Amino acid sequence: MSRYLIGRVGQALLVLWGAYSITYFILYLLPGDTLAIMLSAAGMEVDSLSPEDLARAQAYYGLDKGIFEQYFSLLWNAVQGDFGQSLSLNRPVNQLLVERLPQTLSLAGLAIVLSMIGGIGLAYLTAYVRWQPLKVALARLPSLGFSVPVFWMGLLLIQVFAFSLGWFPATGSRGFDSLILPAVTLAIPSAAVYAQVLQRGFQGVWQEPYIATAYAKGLSRWQVQARHGFKNAALPILTLIGLQVGNTVSGAVLVETIFARNGVGRLAQEAVLRQDIPVVLAIVAVSAAAFVLVNLVVDLLYPYLDPRIAHTPKVS
């Protein structure tokens, strides 16, 4: 078991390093000069600076170093938990993350809960219903859920529930009410994936011999589905939870922009536009860490939920 844990932790560290490194070199290769973009945002031009002032500004932000020298310097500081200074906001990156992270965590957390409730509930209802027209209609809802663009769904929810009905605010980050519409927008694609996978899982489970045995013992359809069908059909959901964490983080960039929320996603979008490399790298590192941590927990839980995995015979 310890050998397995060491291997999984090693893979997690490799993923973190890969995500950090690839992001750095992609940002470095983007067209445009970082210092020029920073000065333009402040209402200044590079040509307005003297060569001496320009050299001092580049040295202050570490932009006078080579690509690999900057990379290893940023990487070494990141390993120690220091993501440096924001180039565009001139503030410590860690401070920006502390301010913005709670907003994104609350959004992502609520979205994950809503997606699981909605997806599992829809799949459960689809498996239980016997009237064929309704069953077919429910089975087709997941395809609609993840085929509709997230930005379009967000705008539709704003139009209906904010402007027409006035139930929730259209934008902002204050109060629980402002969290509902963005969380629902972010939850719909994940809920659709959960529902589709679980629907297929239920279809396979109903053909298993132990289902017939459960019916023979006098259990009702509801009891069979709850006690025997759901546990086995839901195993793939565990893997999907790990994958959907990454989708939730990436989706937060778009959703927070649509709903004007001051979270990490919106900070990432602003940092990319300004080529604020330290901020983008910090967000990528935090997002990748959350992704690998959730997937590591999922891998460790699998043997406990399915004993067949833990007792798989080794091939000699």
Side-chain angles (χ1 to χ4, degrees):
M1 189 65 174
S2 60
R3 195 172 174 184
Y4 172 77
L5 278 174
I6 293 173
R8 294 300 300 165
V9 171
Q11 291 178 17
L13 294 176
L14 187 62
V15 169
L16 287 173
W17 171 76
Y20 189 93
S21 302
I22 292 172
T23 303
Y24 171 82
F25 288 108
I26 288 176
L27 289 172
Y28 195 92
L29 294 173
L30 285 176
D33 180 62
T34 303
L35 186 59
I37 294 173
M38 292 164 50
L39 293 174
S40 177
M44 301 173 62
E45 297 293 336
V46 175
D47 296 337
S48 65
L49 297 179
S50 66
E52 294 78 13
D53 290 337
L54 184 61
R56 278 195 293 268
Q58 289 176 333
Y60 178 79
Y61 289 108
L63 300 175
D64 57 333
K65 302 176 183 177
I67 177 173
F68 290 104
E69 190 176 356
Q70 291 184 51
Y71 166 71
F72 286 113
S73 176
L74 290 170
L75 181 62
W76 175 248
N77 291 334
V79 169
Q80 301 176 73
D82 180 12
F83 291 105
Q85 196 88 350
S86 168
L87 301 180
S88 59
L89 301 175
N90 200 26
R91 294 177 59 194
V93 176
N94 288 352
Q95 191 178 83
L96 293 174
L97 289 177
V98 169
E99 291 177 359
R100 302 287 191 102
L101 201 55
Q103 294 288 346
T104 301
L105 287 177
S106 60
L107 172 61
L110 182 58
I112 290 172
V113 171
L114 292 177
S115 65
M116 293 187 66
I117 293 175
I120 293 174
L122 177 59
Y124 208 88
L125 182 62
T126 305
Y128 187 76
V129 167
R130 293 189 176 184
W131 188 43
Q132 200 61 26
L134 179 58
K135 194 179 189 73
V136 171
L138 292 174
R140 290 178 179 175
L141 281 180
S143 299
L144 179 64
F146 56 72
S147 63
V148 175
V150 173
F151 72 88
W152 187 88
M153 182 61 68
L155 295 175
L156 177 63
L157 292 177
I158 290 175
Q159 179 63 40
V160 174
F161 295 100
F163 295 154
S164 299
L165 298 177
W167 291 356
F168 305 103
T171 59
S173 307
R174 294 185 177 180
F176 184 75
D177 288 349
S178 66
L179 195 61
I180 300 298
L181 292 184
V184 171
T185 303
L186 195 55
I188 287 174
S190 295
V193 174
Y194 294 145
Q196 190 173 64
V197 171
L198 193 54
Q199 284 172 355
R200 292 177 180 174
F202 273 126
Q203 290 175 3
V205 162
W206 289 124
Q207 310 300 322
E208 295 292 334
Y210 60 81
I211 296 295
T213 304
Y215 275 121
K217 292 180 178 178
L219 297 179
S220 66
R221 181 179 176 83
W222 179 264
Q223 290 173 319
V224 171
Q225 185 167 325
R227 296 182 187 179
H228 302 280
F230 178 74
K231 180 180 178 181
N232 293 280
L235 281 175
I237 296 293
L238 196 60
T239 301
L240 285 176
I241 291 173
L243 297 175
Q244 291 304 311
V245 167
N247 293 336
T248 301
V249 171
S250 61
V253 176
L254 181 58
V255 171
E256 287 181 349
T257 302
I258 295 172
F259 290 91
R261 293 185 59 83
N262 292 321
V264 173
R266 193 176 179 191
L267 178 64
Q269 182 250 352
E270 295 169 351
V272 170
L273 291 177
R274 297 171 182 169
Q275 290 191 18
D276 198 336
I277 295 177
V279 174
V280 179
L281 290 176
I283 293 172
V284 168
V286 171
S287 303
F291 179 78
V292 298
L293 180 61
V294 171
N295 278 276
L296 179 61
V297 172
V298 167
D299 287 341
L300 295 178
L301 285 176
Y302 244 120
Y304 295 99
L305 295 178
D306 190 352
R308 294 172 298 180
I309 298 175
H311 296 91
T312 301
K314 296 181 179 181
V315 179
S316 56

